[in-house]
Each structure stands twice: as C-alpha cells, then as structure tokens.
C-alpha cells in the first residue's frame, strides 16, 4: 500500500498552529493543572535564583573588590551557595514533574489513538497502510508531549528567567538595556524563515518514515514470496530510498535547528559588544558604579541561553506540530459505519439470512451486482463460483464490515443495518481459511470465542473440535503459546483451534470459509468431522471448496460476477448443463476437489472421498 500525502487534510492547513496548540492544551494538559502549577512554582524558583545570581554580582564587585570588605566576602559566598542550591533543587523538581506529566500524555494519546483505530471499519484498513498507523501511534504521540513540554518549559522557566534578568538589567542600567532589545527584530525574522523550511522537511520525513515501516512489514509478512521471487533487492531498494530520505530530512531539520545558534550568537555578541563599549566607557570615563555594570553584564550573559532556547522553540515547535496534526487527523477520523441511534438488538429465532437485490462495490468495479439469495434457517447453504465471484464479499456484508450500496440484508426479517453491530456479530461465528491466532496461549485463543468461558467449557469445545489431543501433546498443553500469527501450529491444527473457538461461541449463524490449502489425509478427516459437528443445527453459509461439503449442503448457490446464477442441490444442478456442472467437471478432470478453483491451480487436497 502506498501513502499519498497529497490527500491528507493535514497538509492543506499548515497555518492553524495556534488552534492546534489550544486544542492540545485543552484536551491533554488541562487535567494536569495542579501538577503543572507545582512545576511552575519550581520554574519560578529557577528563574528567581538565576536573576538573584546576577543581582549579587553588584555586591561581589562593589563590596568585595572595590570596598575590600572582608566580612562581605563570607556573606556573599554564603548567599551564592544558597542561590545555587535553590536553583538545583527546583530544577530537579521541575524536571521530574514535567517528565511524569509528559509520559502520562503519551500514554493517554496512545490509548485514544488505539481506541479510534479499533472503532474503524474495514474500508479504513483497506485504505490505510500499517506503517502510517504505527508512525502515528509511536512518533506522533511523542510529538504531542514535546510540544506541551516545550511550551511549559519555555513559557515557564525561560520567559520567567528572561523577565527576571531583564528586570535586573533595567534596574541597574536602563540605557544599556536598550542595546539588548535592539537585536530582537532581526532575531525574529531569521527564526521565522527557518521555521518555514523545517515544516516542509518534517512532513516529508513523516511520509518516508511510514514507507520504512510499510516496507519492513510487507517484507516480514510476505517473506516467503520475497524469497521465492528473489525480491530481496527490490525490497532493499525501496527501503534504501525511504531510509536515505529520512536521513536527509533529519539532517536538514537538525542543521536548520542548529542554525538558530550562529544566528543568536552573532546577534548576542553584537549586543554584548555594544554594552561593553558603552558600559566600559561610562565606568572608565564617567566614573560610574562598576558593580552595577558587572551585574548588568552577568544578567545579559545569563539571559542569553534562555533567549537562544526561545529562538529554537519556534523551530522545534513547528517540527513537532506536524506530528501533532497527524495524530489529531487519526483521532478525528470518525468511522463511517456506526450504529443507528435507535439500533435494536438482533433477535435470532431460526437464523434465516436473506439478500435482496444487494449491490456493493469496493471502489470502481462492482463486487455484488444485485444479489438475491436466501440461506434457510438451520440448514447448510454452500456458495460456489469462480474466484472473484463475490463469495467473500457476501460474508463481509453479513458481518457488516461494509455497508451495501443498495438492497437489503436481513436476518430473521431484521435488517442488519437497523440492529446494533455488536449484537449482530455476537450471533455469528466465523471460521476462515487463514486462521489467525494471536500471540497468546492456546487457551486464550480459544476463549476469544466467548468472553468469560470457563476452562471446562474451553476444553469441551476443543474436544468437540478434535483439538484436545494435539493440544495436550504440546509442551504446556492449553498454556502453550500459539506463537505470533499461530506460527507454531500446523495448518490443520490452526483450523481446529478456530473451530473450537466457534464451538465455544455457540452462535446460531456460522460463516465458514473452507481451507484451500492442502491438509494431510488424517488432518483433513479430523477437521471435516469437527466441522460437521459444528454445523449441526446452525444456519451455515459455507464458501465450499471441497466436493464433500457441496454434496452434503442442503442448497447450493452458484455465484458469477456478483449475481446468483444457479441454485439447487448437487444433483439438480449437475443435471442442468450450467456453470455448476462445468465447475464440477473441471474439478474431476484434474482430480481437484475444489469446484471454484478455475483460476488458481494449486496442489490440492485429495479428491472427494465419496
Ligand atoms: P470470491 O470470494 O468469490 O473470490 P470476493 O468477494 O473476494 O470474491 O471478490 C469479489 C470482487 O471484489 C473481486 O473482483 C475482488 O477483486 C474485489 N475485492 C474483494 N475484496 C476487495 C477489497 N478489500 N478491496 C477492493 N476490491 C476487493
């Protein structure tokens, strides 16, 4: 999946920084008001002690050096010690408090983002790359923390410090203070030029970071294909491009950020030089107080670091605000498919599923083209048809992963769009081709079928699914880890875990997508027996690949390009000279037991054992 930044809302509104910060503060920072207040007290102490350390220079010079007062040496040394102890302790307090708030903000944003991601419907995941999601959850939440922290530290500590020091400067020598203020306009202009350029690079950096993650993910998931088709070099090239771009952008951002230093150093040096010229002249020729001059110079030098940070703030802030925007973009992406306000709970009596003239397309081309069909309650209905005919789409629509473009889908007369999604899905159990197992124990994987199931119920479900014996042979039994994606189990074993999950769910409606991958004869028999048990008494809709299933089905619906073209039992359909018969004949020809595999030729399970 490729990311197209041109579509992102975020880049169309590059100037809403103030609103963005306001929202960030209201949503994320306001709940920490009391802790922020404590941090501010610490910062005020830091600022106060810094100003005091400049102030005391006057006495150091005048009392100690000019007046040679021995007693005052001890007094000023003691006071200096005190000032710096206060400064150290309050810096410590401020750092600890702010870090804790910062970490809480990251955690909070990550929770909100994941909540939103899990609310999204399938079409969202169809159009969103995983790299994009990971970047937003990992990096962009940190950006939110950085922005708030920068604001607090700068507004709190640096601005207070500068105010304190400028106060000292003005009291000591108002005329000389004017020189220091002279450098402000060129500093502001220089910084805003840098800001614009940083913003541009920050966006590109984000895009390339998502490409790194996407490439990594595609390589890991598709490693077999990557190796089999010798795509390593291709993937490396993709990765290299993205990595090189991130490197390039990071360097650019770093050098633009660093450029605030020479800018401020030059301007600062200029101001200090002016002060020395004027102040020195006043002391030497006009016999002014040297202590006041030193206090002034000290205040100016001390004000210089926070002023530099203030200049960098704007650049860093904008760099991080790009991340904050991307985070909010995800949070604000409201899912399209939600319950109606008056959604009822689905009540299943028999479990009849009815499609009435349903049309649906994923994008341009139609997947269902006016499909009308019924799955009788308590019976097994097989869906067959060439691949791409729309069978999986039927499943997705029953589960309401997508909204049909037109037409009705109902269960026992209740439109699936009118009932709550949760109650709909609670009545459906699904067993798919590629059973996905989560990286937790086998027991927990089965327990996903029904929350709150007891160990005894889980074990019974596993027995019914012919899974108990192989689970007991695993080291750790039910507590054995399934491995990421279920990688530690064979295909047949994974299927039986999925069947156990569905057994436990005990839902009246069963959607079954038979495995196309080859299972050995023993596994096949066990899986088949478990499925037969599972299907008993439930409305079962099965995407059938095995002739055995098709023959046993109460009804067979043949789909072709999103429509129902034939319908009946195996015998009645075979007697017609139609699509179904051709599918069967094709299968017999190559000893293939899968009626729908007209396109894909794969090594397949044994022919139907009948
Ligand atoms: P079947 O299960 O019979 O093989 P599907 O229901 O998967 O068929 O697909 C029906 C049509 O919809 C096909 O043309 C397929 O390419 C398209 N399609 C399926 N899933 C998606 C998707 N997530 N995004 C876009 N097109 C899709």
């Amino acid at each position: 999946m490729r990311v197209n930044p041109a579509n992102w809302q975020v880049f169309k509104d590059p100037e809403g920084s103030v609103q963005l910060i306001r929202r960030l503060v209201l949503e994320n920072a306001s709940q920490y008001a009391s802790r922020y207040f404590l941090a501010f007290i610490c910062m005020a102490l830091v600022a106060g002690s810094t100003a005091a350390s400049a102030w005391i220079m006057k006495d150091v010079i005048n009392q100690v050096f000019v007046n040679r007062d021995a007693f005052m040496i001890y007094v000023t040394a003691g006071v200096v010690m005190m000032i710096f102890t206060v400064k150290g302790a309050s810096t410590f307090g401020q750092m600890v408090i702010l870090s804790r708030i910062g970490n809480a903000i990251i955690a909070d944003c990550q929770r909100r983002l994941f909540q939103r991601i899990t609310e999204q419907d399938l079409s969202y995941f169809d159009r969103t790359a995983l790299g994009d999601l990971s970047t937003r959850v990992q990096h962009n939440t940190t950006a939110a923390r950085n922005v708030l922290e920068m604001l607090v530290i700068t507004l709190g500590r640096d601005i207070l410090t500068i105010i304190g020091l400028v106060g000292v400067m003005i009291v000591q020598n108002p005329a000389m203070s004017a020189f220091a203020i002279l450098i402000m306009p060129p500093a502001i202009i220089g910084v805003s030029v840098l800001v614009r350029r940083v913003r541009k690079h920050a966006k590109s950096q984000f895009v390339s970071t998502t490409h790194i993650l996407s490439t990594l993910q595609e390589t890991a998931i598709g490693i077999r294909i990557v190796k089999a088709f010798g795509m390593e070099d291709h993937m490396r090239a993709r990765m290299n491009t993205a990595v090189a771009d991130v490197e390039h952008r990071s360097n650019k951002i770093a050098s633009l950020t660093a450029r605030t230093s020479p800018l401020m150093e030059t301007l600062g040096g200029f101001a200090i030089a002016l002060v020395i010229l004027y102040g020195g002249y006043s002391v030497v020729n006009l016999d002014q107080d040297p202590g006041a001059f030193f206090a002034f110079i000290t205040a100016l030098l001390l004000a210089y670091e926070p002023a530099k940070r203030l200049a960098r703030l704007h650049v860093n802030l904008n760099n991080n605000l790009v991340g904050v925007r991307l985070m909010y973009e995800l949070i604000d992406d409201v899912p399209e498919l939600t319950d109606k306000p008056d959604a009822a709970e689905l009540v299943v009596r028999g479990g009849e599923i009815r499609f009435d003239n349903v049309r649906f397309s994923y994008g341009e081309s139609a997947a269902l083209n006016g499909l009308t069909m019924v799955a009788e309650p308590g019976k097994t209905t097989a869906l067959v048809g060439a691949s791409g005919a729309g069978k999986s789409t039927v499943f997705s629509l029953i589960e309401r992963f997508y909204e049909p473009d037109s037409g009705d889908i109902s269960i026992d007369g209740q439109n699936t769009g009118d009932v709550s999604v949760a109650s709909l899905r609670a009545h459906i159990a699904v067993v798919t081709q590629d059973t996905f197992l989560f990286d937790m124990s086998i027991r927990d994987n089965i327990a996903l079928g029904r929350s709150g199931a007891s160990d005894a119920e889980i074990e019974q479900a596993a027995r019914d699914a012919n899974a108990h014996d192989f689970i007991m042979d695993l080291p750790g039994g039910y507590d054995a880890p399934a491995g990421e994606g279920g990688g530690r189990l064979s295909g047949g074993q994974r299927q039986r875990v999925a069947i156990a999950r569905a057994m436990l769910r005990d839902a009246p409606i069963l959607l079954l997508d038979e495995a196309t991958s080859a299972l050995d004869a023993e596994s096949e028999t066990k899986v088949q027996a478990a499925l037969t048990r599972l299907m008993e008494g439930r409305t079962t809709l099965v995407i059938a690949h095995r002739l055995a299933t098709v023959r046993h089905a109460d009804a067979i619906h043949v789909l072709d390009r999103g429509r129902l073209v034939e319908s009946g039992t195996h015998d009645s359909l075979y007697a017609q000279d139609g699509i179904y018969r051709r599918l069967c004949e094709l299968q017999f020809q190559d000893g293939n037991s899968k009626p729908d595999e007209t396109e894909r030729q794969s090594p397949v399970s044994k022919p139907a054992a009948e």
Side-chain angles (χ1 to χ4, degrees), residues 348-484:
V348 177
R349 292 172 294 271
E352 180 204 62
I353 306 170
R354 191 175 279 276
F355 273 59
D356 191 13
N357 199 14
V358 174
R359 290 176 191 278
F360 174 76
S361 59
Y362 288 98
E364 301 284 287
S365 62
L368 295 187
N369 247 319
L371 176 69
T372 300
M373 60 160 224
V374 180
E376 299 283 349
K379 302 257 172 75
T380 297
T381 305
L383 296 179
V384 297
S387 78
K391 304 179 297 291
S392 314
T393 306
V394 167
F395 277 20
S396 298
L397 291 186
I398 292 175
E399 291 193 82
R400 223 170 147 233
F401 289 149
Y402 303 93
E403 198 86 65
D405 298 335
S406 67
D408 285 326
I409 302 166
S410 61
I411 294 175
D412 285 338
Q414 301 146 80
N415 193 319
T416 53
D418 294 337
V419 297
S420 78
V421 171
S423 74
L424 173 71
R425 292 186 190 150
H427 287 95
I428 301 174
V430 188
V431 179
T432 52
Q433 284 193 17
D434 299 312
T435 303
F436 188 84
L437 298 187
F438 292 88
D439 191 12
M440 47 195 192
S441 70
I442 302 277
R443 183 197 316 282
D444 292 342
N445 264 294
I446 298 177
L448 292 173
R450 195 177 81 231
S451 61
S454 70
D455 284 358
E457 287 170 318
I458 291 171
E459 199 177 306
Q460 186 56 45
R463 281 182 200 280
D464 291 343
N466 282 342
H468 179 73
D469 291 343
F470 89 77
I471 294 175
M472 292 312 285
D473 285 343
L474 295 172
Y478 281 87
D479 294 319
E484 202 172 334

Side-chain angles (χ1 to χ4, degrees), residues 233-422:
D233 283 342
H234 171 76
M235 294 314 255
R236 264 179 226 131
R238 247 176 79 178
M239 183 57 102
N240 285 344
T241 314
V243 168
D245 193 54
V246 171
E247 186 187 2
H248 171 70
R249 303 290 171 184
S250 307
N251 285 341
K252 277 281 177 199
I253 292 173
S255 85
L256 286 171
T257 311
R259 226 174 273 178
T260 53
S261 292
L263 177 77
M264 293 302 286
E265 299 288 350
T266 316
L267 290 172
F270 181 69
I272 293 171
L274 277 184
V275 165
I276 291 177
L277 280 179
Y278 176 80
Y281 176 80
S282 310
V283 173
V284 175
N285 294 337
L286 308 178
D287 203 22
Q288 289 227 326
D289 174 3
F293 173 67
F294 264 90
F296 184 91
I297 282 279
T298 312
L300 183 59
L301 290 175
L302 285 176
Y304 187 51
E305 268 308 312
K308 268 199 314 201
R309 270 203 297 272
L310 213 57
R312 257 201 315 265
L313 166 83
H314 199 189
V315 179
N316 281 335
L317 199 62
N318 275 279
N319 182 11
N320 280 283
L321 277 177
V322 173
V324 174
R325 274 204 190 87
L326 291 163
M327 183 185 86
Y328 275 133
E329 196 188 50
L330 202 166
I331 288 181
D332 293 342
D333 197 335
V334 181
E336 290 157 21
L337 203 157
T338 47
D339 283 348
K340 287 187 179 170
D342 54 348
E345 298 286 290
L346 175 71
V347 181
V348 177
R349 292 172 294 271
E352 180 204 62
I353 306 170
R354 191 175 279 276
F355 273 59
D356 191 13
N357 199 14
V358 174
R359 290 176 191 278
F360 174 76
S361 59
Y362 288 98
E364 301 284 287
S365 62
L368 295 187
N369 247 319
L371 176 69
T372 300
M373 60 160 224
V374 180
E376 299 283 349
K379 302 257 172 75
T380 297
T381 305
L383 296 179
V384 297
S387 78
K391 304 179 297 291
S392 314
T393 306
V394 167
F395 277 20
S396 298
L397 291 186
I398 292 175
E399 291 193 82
R400 223 170 147 233
F401 289 149
Y402 303 93
E403 198 86 65
D405 298 335
S406 67
D408 285 326
I409 302 166
S410 61
I411 294 175
D412 285 338
Q414 301 146 80
N415 193 319
T416 53
D418 294 337
V419 297
S420 78
V421 171

